[in-house]
Amino acid sequence: MAGEFTSKAVLMGFVAVAAGIALLEWAAPEEASPQTVVLTPAHREFVRQQLSQPGMPTPSEAALEHAMQNYLEEEVLYREGLKLGLEQDDLIVKRRVVQKMRFLLEGMTPLEQPTREQLQAYLDAHAEHYQTGHALQFEHVFFSRGKRGDDALMHARQHLINLATNPSLKAGDPFPLDASQAPVDHLQLNRDLGSALVDRIVELPVGQWSEPMNSALGVHLVKVLEHRKGRTITVDEAGERLRIDVMAAQREAMNDAALATILNSYTVEQRDE
């Protein structure tokens, strides 16, 4: 699927990155002496924005001047560190530069909203991630161990015998889950009955009462009325989740293509020493 997005847009995006970098270099003012720190209104505005907090008063001039002094000190220490080569072979610095480069690539290759055809194609290719759960409809007779104690299993076995001659017999103890009127999805069944019991119910044939089955709550008799298999949801049902997934795949494909273009511009030499 990723290959569907590696098109002219990817190459144009990479060209835009290169052009943007070149433009920034062309537009930058002539570099001052390494021992000169140029502070412009843009620097002061940047520091002011760093000081500002939502819902808080505007920083005072004294606070701004203090922040500008910190900014100046950091700039001077940074330059001195570069002179000493402290950035070299520093894994933290390297990762930060790589991170900024990835942000730059992403920022200069904007994505368009996927079309419905792209959404459907992605959904078809990744259908296993967009499934409704297995649902079951069944009759259920419950015998509470809290109410009946060790007799719960005996009562369940007797009730199963009675059902053979009187299928409409109603007995047992109240249970909050009613799956006899409509199928209940797997997640809810797991919450109400526990995954171990649900796994056994899923294997039951349709139309037959089960043998007594134990759970932490008590003993259960179950007759499955319908197994409803999961299905792939539609584009409309997937909604925003699908759109986000498609755009993430597009972004990944564009980033991979841009990185491949950069890698192809380098020569890699393998040396033994």
Side-chain angles (χ1 to χ4, degrees), residues 2-264:
E4 298 178 18
F5 302 120
T6 53
S7 60
K8 286 185 178 180
V10 176
L11 298 178
M12 292 302 295
F14 180 71
V15 170
V17 172
I21 294 173
L23 179 61
L24 289 174
E25 293 176 347
W26 175 81
E30 183 179 348
E31 289 189 5
S33 165
Q35 297 302 116
T36 301
V37 179
V38 178
L39 297 177
T40 67
H43 290 100
R44 292 183 66 86
E45 180 58 27
F46 171 77
V47 173
R48 187 190 302 275
Q49 290 179 4
Q50 298 302 303
L51 281 177
S52 300
Q53 298 292 332
M56 299 295 291
T58 301
S60 65
E61 285 302 314
L64 177 60
E65 290 305 318
H66 180 72
M68 286 298 300
Q69 182 62 30
N70 288 338
Y71 179 87
L72 176 60
E73 292 173 359
E74 289 182 355
E75 178 64 23
V76 169
L77 289 173
Y78 174 70
R79 293 188 185 189
E80 292 300 308
L82 291 180
K83 291 178 184 178
L84 296 174
L86 298 183
E87 85 287 2
Q88 297 178 14
D89 299 322
D90 188 307
L91 187 58
I92 295 177
V93 173
K94 182 178 181 179
R95 286 175 176 172
R96 181 60 177 154
V97 173
V98 169
Q99 182 185 49
K100 293 183 73 172
M101 188 62 195
R102 291 188 187 278
F103 286 156
L104 180 62
L105 289 173
E106 291 185 4
M108 291 191 175
T109 52
L111 295 176
E112 296 182 358
Q113 291 294 323
T115 64
R116 190 174 183 86
E117 289 73 20
Q118 287 175 317
L119 293 172
Q120 186 63 60
Y122 187 91
L123 180 62
D124 293 342
H126 302 85
E128 68 276 11
H129 299 304
Y130 301 91
Q131 297 290 315
T132 61
H134 188 169
L136 291 169
Q137 184 175 356
F138 55 85
E139 294 183 20
H140 175 218
V141 183
F142 172 62
F143 299 88
S144 170
R145 188 169 286 110
K147 179 178 179 180
R148 300 170 185 262
D150 294 338
D151 290 336
L153 179 58
M154 179 184 68
H155 293 169
R157 287 172 173 165
Q158 184 59 50
H159 188 74
L160 182 61
I161 294 173
N162 295 338
L163 283 171
T165 57
N166 186 2
S168 62
L169 180 66
K170 301 295 182 183
D173 301 315
F175 195 86
L177 174 68
D178 182 8
S180 63
Q181 302 302 313
V184 179
D185 68 75
H186 214 134
L187 290 177
Q188 183 177 345
L189 291 176
N190 284 339
R191 286 194 298 267
D192 292 343
L193 296 173
S195 59
L197 180 59
V198 173
D199 289 345
R200 295 184 62 186
I201 295 175
V202 168
E203 299 300 323
L204 293 175
V206 174
Q208 298 180 23
W209 281 103
S210 70
E211 293 296 318
M213 297 183 293
N214 285 294
S215 75
L217 300 174
V219 183
H220 309 258
L221 297 176
V222 173
K223 182 171 73 172
V224 173
L225 303 176
E226 179 185 357
H227 282 283
R228 183 171 295 181
K229 301 296 184 181
R231 64 173 177 83
T232 303
I233 60 178
T234 65
V235 168
D236 292 331
E237 288 172 330
E240 182 68 5
R241 173 193 166 196
L242 177 60
R243 186 190 69 82
I244 292 174
D245 289 349
V246 170
M247 295 192 73
Q250 290 176 332
R251 169 60 63 202
E252 182 179 3
M254 284 189 170
N255 289 349
D256 289 347
L259 182 57
T261 302
I262 295 173
L263 286 171
N264 288 336

